[in-house]
Amino acid sequence: IKRCFKPDKKTNKKEEENKKENKELKEEKEAKKENIDEEKGLKKNKKEYIYAVGRRKTSSAQVKLYKKGSGEVTINQKDIKDYFPTEKLQEIVYSPLKVIGQVDKLKIWAKVVGGGKTGQAEAIRHGVSRALLEINPNFKKPLRKHGYLTRDPRVKERKKPGLKRARRAPQWSKR
């Protein structure tokens, strides 16, 4: 015996309505994801800062570069003059901005972990340089010329067994 199932017209209508609703919801979600302004048809730029990571020795710096700023620098919730009291370390942080002439136009926020003060300052410099590159690719040539985009690979060598330090052997005696 063959049985044929003939769906009701009512259930078909309900399924079609559900499909339409699901389609509309998907379209709304996609529109929200793309941040499309429905009136203008243009994408909105919600990012107010550029994020980059800089590293040096054992230091790692998370840097946020705000386009709207007046040159203030905050490092680990402290002002740069409090965190880096010496002029030399402050100059290291400001150096990429001085090279491209943006010292008074940008705000820098940084979180630094690990290493010593010099390593931290150079890690921030590396992060700021990377963030500046995202703002304008034309900054690459002067920053590369000064060596601010290259991650300095020099790290302290590990101690080897049988030696006092990485390469320092114990004093040799003849007898």
Side-chain angles (χ1 to χ4, degrees):
I1 301 171
K2 289 186 180 178
R3 290 186 180 175
C4 293
F5 174 73
K6 292 184 180 179
D8 295 339
K9 290 182 181 179
K10 291 179 182 177
T11 55
N12 278 348
K13 286 181 182 178
K14 286 181 183 177
E15 287 176 10
E16 287 177 20
E17 288 175 10
N18 287 339
K19 286 181 183 178
K20 285 181 183 178
E21 287 177 14
N22 288 340
K23 218 176 200 181
E24 289 173 3
L25 289 171
K26 284 182 182 178
E27 288 173 2
E28 286 178 21
K29 285 181 182 178
E30 287 176 13
K32 285 180 183 177
K33 282 182 184 176
E34 294 176 4
N35 275 334
I36 294 177
D37 190 3
E38 293 174 6
E39 298 167 6
K40 296 179 183 176
L42 299 171
K43 286 187 178 181
K44 288 182 181 177
N45 188 6
K46 281 195 168 183
K47 279 194 172 182
E48 56 194 41
Y49 62 85
I50 284 118
Y51 176 82
V53 176
R55 292 184 185 90
R56 171 74 171 100
K57 291 190 177 183
T58 56
S59 301
S60 181
Q62 298 174 351
V63 178
K64 291 180 183 178
L65 199 69
Y66 292 86
K67 293 176 185 176
K68 295 176 182 174
S70 57
E72 60 266 17
V73 179
T74 307
I75 303 164
N76 292 353
Q77 286 86 37
K78 293 181 183 177
D79 188 54
I80 188 169
K81 290 182 174 122
D82 297 333
Y83 197 80
F84 294 131
T86 61
E87 196 69 32
K88 180 185 173 188
L89 295 175
Q90 291 173 23
E91 283 180 23
I92 289 171
V93 174
Y94 281 119
S95 57
L97 296 172
K98 287 180 181 176
V99 166
I100 59 162
Q102 300 282 321
V103 179
D104 299 334
K105 298 173 186 172
L106 302 167
K107 177 185 172 185
I108 299 171
W109 178 93
K111 180 183 174 187
V112 195
V113 179
K117 292 289 185 182
T118 305
Q120 288 184 349
E122 291 177 7
I124 293 170
R125 178 179 70 188
H126 187 229
V128 169
S129 301
R130 284 181 165 181
L132 286 169
L133 200 63
E134 288 184 36
I135 290 176
N136 189 349
N138 295 334
F139 294 153
K140 186 172 185 172
K141 202 168 187 178
L143 291 172
R144 173 77 62 203
K145 183 181 175 187
H146 288 272
Y148 298 152
L149 294 175
T150 307
R151 198 271 198 224
D152 195 341
R154 296 176 296 166
V155 182
K156 187 174 180 178
E157 195 175 334
R158 76 174 194 87
K159 184 195 175 300
K160 315 297 184 306
L163 301 179
K164 290 187 170 184
R165 296 194 302 259
R167 298 184 184 204
R168 169 77 169 105
Q171 186 174 359
W172 183 79
S173 64
K174 195 168 187 177
R175 284 173 195 83

